[in-house]
Amino acid sequence: MTPDAGAAGEAAVIGRLSTLDRLLALWIGLAMAAVMFTAQVLGSRSVAAAARRAGDAAGQLGRLLGSALDGVRTVKLAAATGGVLAQVARVDGRRVQASLREERTSFLVGLAPSVLSRIAMVLAWALHLGGTWSLATTLLVSTSIGTFSWIGY
């Protein structure tokens, strides 16, 4: 296909699109950007709260270990070793749970833009298959979604 034939074909497709269809890609891109931005802002707050809890739990474990080691230096804790180890295990378990919660939250926030763009792509093709959009509009919208899907990554 020659460059002139490709440009003529593109001009013919654009000529068949209504003004609404021409602006549809822009509106979808702006809507996706707004939704992904909102998801990132709200998600980053959740990640920060989870990280704060994980840091607090790690600090508590450090204080407990320091106290336990200080107690071992000053008093022989041969009889109380089981109790100290049980308390360390409880505090460390809370630290591990807080760390896992932080990792899960961070993963879900990072996954949101990808999931949203895939849902939008499926919706665009469902509208085409349902007869709401023409093939040209669907291709325009799906290309726009692919272009704007990098937002939030």
Side-chain angles (χ1 to χ4, degrees), residues 56-151:
D56 291 346
Q60 186 179 12
L61 176 66
R63 284 189 300 275
L64 175 69
L65 287 175
S67 295
L69 292 175
D70 191 43
V72 167
R73 275 190 313 175
T74 57
V75 178
K76 295 209 179 220
L77 292 176
T81 303
V84 170
L85 291 177
Q87 178 64 14
V88 168
R90 277 192 300 277
V91 172
D92 190 43
R94 286 192 298 261
R95 180 194 62 81
V96 168
Q97 288 301 318
S99 180
L100 287 173
R101 188 176 310 114
E102 176 190 6
E103 289 297 321
R104 280 188 230 123
T105 305
S106 179
F107 174 75
L108 291 174
V109 167
L111 190 64
S114 178
V115 170
L116 289 173
S117 64
R118 294 333 182 260
I119 289 171
M121 188 76 73
V122 169
L123 179 63
W125 283 101
L127 288 170
H128 169 67
L129 294 174
T132 305
W133 286 348
S134 68
L135 179 60
T137 302
T138 304
L139 288 172
L140 178 70
V141 169
S142 62
T143 302
S144 299
I145 290 169
T147 302
F148 288 109
S149 68
W150 62 269
I151 297 173

